Structure formats: C-alpha cells, structure tokens
C-alpha cells in the first residue's frame, strides 16, 4: 500500500512536501504497526488540514486529519468507516501511512465498542447522503415506545376483560364461601387443609410471564375457572366424611359414657341420677345432630362425663380415708374441726354434682384437704401409721391374687415398716405417712390392670366351658352350635380383648374391668334363661334380675333374649309387649350388653361394610324403622325378607317364605323383627330407651 500511495504523491502539486518525506517512504513497504494504546501523533498534524486516500483501489475513500481537534468516527453502511473529500488534497507517504493506521484503529474501535465513546476514536466525516444518528435514534425510540404502550394497553385490556374475570371471581368467591361455611359448622381444619392448599395453587396458576396470556387470556381464565368449579364438590365430600366420622366418634363416646354410668348404677356413688339425665340429654342432642360441631359437642361432653364418673371411685376412697383419720382425732381440736367441716363440704359436692368440671375441681380440693389432715395425723402417729401399713399389706395381697409380681411392693412395705419406729419428730412422722400413701398409690395402675386382666380371662374361660357343656344341635344341617356365640371372640369377647390391649391409664383399665364384670353377669343370665321354659311373651326370671341389677325398674327397656330369640318390652318394670326375633348368626352374633339408643332412623338405607364379593356383602337395602344400639352398625330393625322368627332362627334353618341366601341363617349382628312389630316398637320408644341383650 505504501508504494502505491507514493505514486499518487509524485503527480501532486504538493511535490515539495513529498520530497521532504521521500526518504521516510523508502523504508515503509507495509503499514506501520502501533500498539493498542497509541495516541494521535502530533507530527502528522503539522499541517492544519490534510486529505489522505485510504485505499488505492477506491480513490473516493479519503480522510481528513486535523491537529486542531481529535477525530470522531461513526459507523455507516458497509464494513468500514468512510468519508468523501476532494481528491486533490494529498499527503506525503509517511503521513499517509500514519493517517491510514489511525483510521484503521478507529474503524476497529467502532466495530469493537459500537459507539463513539472510546478514547481512541477520532472524527470521521460522514458521507453527505448519510442520516444523522441522533435523529434516527430518537425517532426510533419514540416509535418503539408508542408501540409498546399500545401493546401494553391492549394486553391490560385483555387481561382485565370482564368477560374473563367475572366468571373466575364468582367461582373463587363461591369456594371461599363454602370453606367459610365448612369452618362454621365445625369441620376440622386438618380435614379442610388439602382443599385450602389446592385453592392456593389455583390462585397462583395464571401464566403471568407468558406473552400468549396477554394476547389471548381467555383460555387461561377458563382453565382457572374450571379448576375452581371442582372445589365445591371436594369441600362437600370433606363435610360429608367429617360428619360421618364425627357421628361414629360421638356414638362411641356415648357408648363409653353408658358403660361408666352402668358401673355407677350397680355401685351407686355420687350423683349418678343426674349423670343419667345428662346422658339422656346427650342422646337427644344426638338425635337432632346434623353438623360436625353438634357431634363434637356430644363427644366432649360424653368423654368428660365418663371420665368424671370413673373418678368417683378413687375420690370416694380418699373421702373415706379422710373420715377415718378425722374420727380418730380429738374432737375439741380446732384444726380437726375445720378439716371435718371441709370434709362435709367435699362430701356434699361429691354427692350432688353432675358437672364434670366441678367434680375435677373437687378432686383437687379433696387432695389438698387430705394433705392437711395428714399434717394433723402426725399428732396421732402410732394409730395412723398402723392403719396405713395394714392397708398397704391388703393391697399387696390383692395384687398377688391377680397373678401379678409383687416383689417391688413387698420391698417398699419393708422400708415403710422400718422407717416408722425411727420417726421421732413431727416432720419425720409426716414424711413416713406421706411415703406410705405414695407407695400405695404407685400400685393403683397395676391393681386395676391386674383386676381387668383377671376378669377378662375368667370371662373367656367360663364362656368356653359353658359352650362345650351346652351345645345347640341344629336339625337343619345336623350341626352343633354354641348358644353363647355373642360372648365369644367373634362377639363381645373381641371388644373386651381390644379394649384391654389398648388400655393405658387407670381409667381405661377400670372401664375394661366394668365391661368384663357386666359381660360375666349377662352370661350367667343367658345360661339360666337357656333352660327356662317360660313362654316368650311372659315375664322371665332373668329379665327381673337384670332390671334389678342394672337399676332399670323405672326405665323403658327392650329386653332381648339370645337363647330364646325373643324381645320383651318393659315400662317401669311392667311387661307391655313381646315379640319373636332373629339375632346374629354364629359368625356375626348380636352383641350382649346394656346399651343405650345411639341413633334412630325412619326410613333408612343400609349399606354393607363388607366389600363386594365378600360372603357377607349385601346390596343397599331399604329399612323402614331402625334403632342403633351399638356403634359399628348394630341395629334393631324390621326385615321384609324373613318370615321365620324365634328359637333356632339365628342358626341355619328353612324359612317359611322360601329359603334364600339372605334368610336361611341369622342376621349380620342386628336384631330383626317383622315390619309390623318394629313399627310398634319404634312408635313407643325414644332416645332414652335402654336395650338389654343377654
């Protein structure tokens, strides 16, 4: 390039300048290389304005180099920055090379940085035809801004179009109202939580970052609306499920309340009569309950009442101990008189209150007053000490009779026997008496557990023994069956075993003990009634014993005999009506016990708890009158598919109306009557009716 440029200089009028630079040009066969940080060479700018051709191929490409101001360059069409100047302005070869190199660097800088702010960039004069960059950039920016504003406004209008949003808002509001309703009627928050979480996901489901959403949001809103539309059905399912579960829990709680009440009726303590009224109130509430909160209230009251009833016995024992202690003291002692007054107040509350909360507060006061009595007892230490040691020994002997290991308690008794004679101060005497009571109390759980296990074992042994000795021979299939199947493992025996296995507290074991005690007494009544030849529609001796034992002489009672397959209706101890029935078959017997009404339905649809394909499955069946006597689906109800009732009908038999798969054997645990008989019973009973099955 240097040689070609020199030939042009020789023909130029500026020959003098060319001659001065000729020596330098002879040594420049290639463009000069400079470092990236080269600055403008002041030697090149000795002339005020010079014109240089950038390429011998294109003589129209020229550049003007000025020493008065730095070059400025601008990117124009093509690969290089270029300007057009008159062709008659020429530089020497050396200056040409310097200017050429500078121009090359400016072009490279423009291509590298894309603007004119780099420190190496110099002025490049644009072709007159080129547009000014500032005007183009400003116009473009304004146009783009307007376009974006228009697009944004259109997108905003689409996204907030009422055609889309109103439907979604309505669906969401409907879901929120239904959730609020579910909370108001008492559905547990834990049951609703999955639906709440699903709603939150739907709330955030719109594709806000998708351009397509702003162009056409209708599809996204339609999808969201359809997702909301599915939630009301799910909420209703949760309500129905919770209602069913809480209803069953309420039935179980009432069952436990009834068992605790039965125990108190047999061993009267406290105000059992008012507790009976409280139980009746819960029964009536059960009859009108239709929302989860109704069943929750019943569960809480029944559980609290059962717990209070179970605490009556230990409270009574502590009150008895207080009476024994206070009677042994001198009556003229002011402290003793005050404590005796506390005892009288505590006993009055104990005998009159049926409020579970008040009885639990009373339990705390009794313990406080008993502790105060123990402080005074130190003044009568020899007598009190001897009585407490004797009581401890009695409890150990009782625990041993249950087959429990008593080694640790025997050692505690020895320690207490050794510490008594060594107590000389009031403080030491008090600690000895307190320790004896602590040791006795430590036996309570083992005692009630041992008693419960002993009674359940005794019950099973007698059930099996009597069944073997008194089988029922069925002429229909020439097989022997036990008459007491309801007391075996497939009947109430399994319930006893389950309750014993799940028991953990003192109250739990006491409840099991009560159940076993009642079951054993009822078994004795069945055994006696099995040999009774009295007609089914006459008063049976076992009925009378049961009414007296459970204090039911002034109640309305349905008395069901498993041995005689009969039901007798008693009002205040007087027989009113009698019917023949069919009870549960060998594998699914009716449950013996003293039960209360847990539900009344008229009409009802019975559905099988067994899966389809099971030998015990049945299709949904319409029932006109049904009274639930035990949770788990044990009803007294009418049947239209049987015509044979009475003795032996709980075993395989020939039905008078034609034998089918539904009537050749006993029921699934229910007590069956004809529609006519059941209609009378349903009309003459209520939620306060007691059902005795034995």
């Amino acid at each position: 390039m240097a040689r070609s440029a020199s030939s042009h200089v020789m023909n130029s009028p500026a020959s003098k300048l060319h001659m001065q630079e000729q020596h330098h040009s002879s040594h420049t066969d290639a463009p000069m290389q400079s470092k990236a940080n080269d600055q403008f060479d002041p030697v090149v700018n000795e002339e005020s304005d010079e014109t240089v051709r950038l390429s011998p191929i294109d003589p129209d490409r020229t550049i003007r180099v000025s020493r008065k101001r730095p070059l400025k360059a601008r990117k124009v069409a093509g690969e290089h920055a270029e300007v057009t100047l008159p062709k008659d302005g020429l530089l020497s070869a050396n200056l040409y090379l310097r200017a050429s190199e500078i121009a090359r660097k400016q072009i490279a800088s423009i291509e590298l940085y894309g603007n004119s702010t780099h420190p190496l960039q110099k002025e490049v004069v644009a072709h007159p035809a080129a547009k000014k960059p500032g005007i183009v950039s400003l116009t473009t920016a304004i146009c783009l801004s307007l376009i974006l504003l228009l697009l944004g406004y259109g997108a905003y209008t689409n996204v907030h179009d009422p055609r889309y949003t109103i439907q979604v808002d309505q669906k969401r509001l409907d879901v929120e109202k239904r959730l609020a309703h579910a909370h108001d009627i008492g559905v547990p928050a834990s049951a609703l939580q999955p639906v709440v979480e699903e709603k939150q996901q739907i709330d955030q489901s719109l594709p806000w970052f998708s351009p397509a959403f702003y162009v056409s949001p209708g599809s996204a809103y339609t999808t969201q609306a359809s997702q909301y539309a599915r939630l009301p059905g799910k909420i209703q399912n949760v309500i129905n499920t919770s209602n069913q579960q809480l209803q069953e829990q309420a039935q179980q709680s009432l069952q436990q309340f009834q068992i605790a009440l039965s125990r108190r009726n047999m061993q009267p303590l406290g105000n059992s009569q008012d507790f009976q009224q409280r139980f009746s109130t819960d029964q009536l509430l059960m009859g009108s309950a239709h929302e989860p909160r109704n069943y929750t209230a019943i569960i809480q009251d029944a559980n609290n009442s059962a717990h209070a009833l179970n605490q009556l016995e230990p409270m009574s024992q502590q009150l008895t101990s207080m009476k024994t202690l206070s009677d042994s003291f001198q009556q003229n002692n002011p402290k003793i008189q005050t404590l005796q007054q506390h005892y009288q107040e505590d006993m009055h509350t104990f005998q009159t209150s049926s409020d579970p909360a008040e009885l639990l507060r009373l339990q705390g006061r009794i313990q406080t007053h008993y502790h105060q009595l123990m402080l005074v007892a130190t003044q009568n230490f020899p007598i009190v000490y001897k009585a407490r040691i004797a009581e401890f020994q009695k409890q150990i002997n009782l625990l041993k009779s249950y087959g429990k290991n008593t080694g640790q308690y025997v050692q505690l008794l020895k320690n207490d026997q050794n510490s008594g004679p060594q107590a000389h101060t009031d403080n030491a005497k008090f600690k000895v008496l307190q320790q004896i009571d602590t040791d006795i109390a430590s036996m309570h759980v083992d005692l009630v557990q041992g008693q419960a296990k002993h009674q359940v074992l005794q019950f099973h042994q007698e059930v099996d023994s009597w069944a073997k000795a008194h089988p029922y021979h069925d002429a229909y299939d020439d097989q022997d069956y036990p008459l007491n199947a309801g007391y075996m493992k497939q009947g109430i025996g399994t319930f006893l075993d389950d309750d014993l296995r799940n028991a953990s507290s003192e109250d739990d074991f006491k409840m099991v003990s009560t159940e076993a005690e009642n079951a054993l007494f009822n078994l004795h009544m069945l055994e006696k009634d099995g040999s009774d030849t009295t007609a089914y529609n006459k008063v049976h001796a076992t009925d009378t014993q049961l009414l007296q034992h459970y204090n039911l002489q002034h109640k309305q009672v349905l008395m069901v005999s498993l041995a005689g397959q009969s039901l007798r209706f008693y009002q205040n101890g007087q027989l009113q009506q009698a019917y023949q029935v069919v009870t549960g078959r060998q594998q699914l017997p009716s449950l013996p016990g003293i039960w209360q009404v847990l539900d009344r339905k008229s009409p009802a649809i019975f559905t099988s708890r067994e899966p389809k394909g099971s030998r015990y499955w049945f299709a949904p069946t319409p029932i006109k009158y049904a009274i639930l006597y035990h949770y788990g689906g044990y009803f007294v109800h009418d049947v239209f598919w049987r015509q044979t009732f009475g003795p032996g009908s709980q075993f395989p038999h020939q039905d008078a109306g034609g034998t089918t798969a539904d009537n050749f054997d006993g029921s699934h645990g229910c007590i069956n009557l004809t529609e006519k008989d059941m209609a009378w019973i349903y009309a003459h009973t209520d939620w306060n009716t007691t059902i005795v099955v034995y």
Side-chain angles (χ1 to χ4, degrees), residues 410-462:
V410 170
Q411 184 59 49
L412 291 175
L413 176 61
K414 290 181 179 179
N415 294 339
D416 294 336
Q417 289 172 330
N418 293 332
S419 62
Q422 300 176 10
H424 302 295
T425 65
D426 287 348
N427 186 49
K429 293 175 182 178
F430 176 80
K431 288 183 177 180
V432 168
L433 293 178
Q434 190 177 47
Q435 185 61 51
I436 295 174
D437 279 358
T438 300
D439 294 341
I440 292 175
S442 69
M443 298 179 61
H444 284 170
V445 174
D446 280 347
L447 277 169
V448 295
Q449 182 184 34
Q451 182 183 17
K453 288 183 176 180
H454 175 75
Q455 288 178 312
V456 170
L457 178 62
Q458 181 184 3
F459 168 76
H460 284 311
Q461 289 175 342
E462 184 160 339

Side-chain angles (χ1 to χ4, degrees), residues 4-202:
S4 176
S6 177
S7 65
H8 286 280
V9 173
M10 291 296 294
N11 297 323
S12 172
S15 59
K16 182 178 178 180
L17 180 59
H18 167 69
M19 293 301 291
Q20 292 174 350
E21 299 296 337
Q22 187 174 12
H23 175 71
H24 296 286
S25 65
S26 64
H27 299 286
T28 55
D29 294 334
M32 295 180 64
Q33 302 297 319
S34 60
K35 298 179 181 179
N37 61 351
D38 284 347
Q39 300 298 319
F40 187 81
D41 192 341
V43 178
V44 178
N45 294 309
E46 291 177 350
E47 300 294 332
S48 61
D49 289 289
E50 300 293 343
T51 301
V52 179
R53 291 185 178 90
L54 297 182
S55 173
I57 300 174
D58 186 359
D60 288 335
R61 289 192 175 186
T62 59
I63 187 169
R64 182 175 68 242
V65 181
S66 172
R67 66 184 177 88
K68 295 179 181 180
R69 59 182 181 272
L71 283 171
K72 295 182 180 178
R74 177 167 56 86
K75 180 74 175 177
V76 296
E79 297 181 356
H80 304 286
E82 66 176 79
V83 296
T84 303
L85 293 176
K87 297 181 180 180
D88 56 349
L90 298 176
L91 287 174
S92 65
N94 190 28
L95 287 177
Y96 168 80
L97 291 173
R98 297 290 185 100
S100 175
E101 185 174 357
I102 291 170
R104 181 182 58 79
K105 290 182 178 180
Q106 302 314 309
I107 293 169
S109 177
I110 293 170
E111 293 175 346
L112 177 63
Y113 293 94
N115 55 47
S116 60
T117 60
H118 192 271
L120 294 178
Q121 294 174 355
K122 310 302 179 179
E123 181 180 13
V124 177
V125 182
H127 192 281
K131 294 182 179 180
K132 294 183 179 181
I135 297 175
V136 174
S137 299
L138 179 61
T139 303
T140 303
I142 292 173
C143 292
L144 289 175
S145 298
L146 289 173
I147 292 172
L148 289 175
L149 285 173
L150 290 172
L151 290 175
Y153 177 76
Y156 177 85
T157 303
N158 280 349
V159 170
H160 295 83
D161 191 331
R163 292 177 300 173
Y164 309 134
T165 59
I166 288 179
Q167 183 183 13
V168 171
D169 291 341
Q170 289 176 342
K171 298 293 184 183
R172 180 172 57 249
L173 182 61
D174 183 45
V175 172
E176 291 171 353
K177 287 182 178 179
R178 289 174 183 268
L179 283 173
H181 171 70
H183 282 294
D184 290 343
I185 63 175
V187 177
S190 58
L192 289 170
Q193 188 59 30
V195 180
V196 172
E197 292 177 354
E198 185 173 352
K199 176 188 174 296
Q200 292 172 347
Q201 293 175 356
I202 298 173

Side-chain angles (χ1 to χ4, degrees), residues 254-397:
L254 282 175
Q255 201 94 68
Q256 298 304 316
F257 187 3
Q258 187 273 331
I259 291 173
L261 189 60
S262 176
R263 178 184 175 92
R264 291 283 65 81
N265 287 335
M266 290 188 298
Q267 301 173 356
L269 289 173
N271 188 6
S272 58
Q273 186 62 37
D274 280 1
F275 270 105
Q276 180 65 55
Q277 183 59 45
R278 195 180 190 95
F279 179 80
S280 298
T281 300
D282 284 344
Q283 283 182 301
L284 294 175
L285 291 174
M286 189 72 182
S288 60
H290 60 280
E291 294 179 345
R293 60 182 175 183
N294 304 139
Y295 296 118
T296 299
I298 295 170
I299 292 169
Q300 292 176 347
D301 187 74
N303 288 345
N304 291 339
S305 298
H307 177 68
L309 283 169
N310 289 329
Q311 292 301 310
L312 290 178
E313 186 171 354
M315 290 167 65
S316 176
Q317 292 173 350
Q318 201 159 29
L319 284 169
T320 300
S321 296
M322 290 175 63
K323 182 71 165 58
T324 302
L325 283 173
S326 63
D327 287 347
S328 65
F329 299 146
Q330 295 178 357
Q331 299 301 312
N332 58 358
N333 188 323
K335 292 183 179 180
I336 296 302
Q337 292 176 359
T338 300
L339 291 174
Q340 287 177 336
Q341 182 178 354
H342 288 329
Y343 164 79
Q344 295 295 335
E345 293 171 353
D346 293 343
M347 179 58 73
H348 175 75
T349 303
F350 176 80
Q351 292 176 340
T352 59
S353 178
S354 62
D355 180 9
E358 184 178 12
L359 285 172
L360 292 179
R361 290 193 297 269
L362 173 63
Q363 189 176 31
R365 291 199 302 271
I366 291 175
Q367 292 175 351
T368 299
H369 296 155
Y370 184 78
H371 179 78
Q372 293 171 349
L373 264 175
M374 290 293 290
L375 290 174
V376 180
T378 58
Q379 301 172 7
N380 297 268
F381 180 75
I383 297 175
V384 175
Y385 171 75
K386 183 178 180 180
R388 301 311 293 159
I389 289 293
E391 178 65 20
F392 195 1
Q393 182 65 66
K394 178 182 177 181
Q395 297 297 320
I396 291 175
N397 293 339

Side-chain angles (χ1 to χ4, degrees), residues 5 24 37 51 93 139 190 219 277 287 295 312 335 467 507 521 551 559 573 616 619-620 637-638 642-643:
H24 296 286
N37 61 351
T51 301
T139 303
S190 58
S219 176
Q277 183 59 45
Y295 296 118
L312 290 178
K335 292 183 179 180
D507 282 354
F521 177 80
N551 195 24
M559 190 75 67
Y616 300 122
H637 68 88
D638 61 285
R642 296 183 187 277
Q643 291 190 20

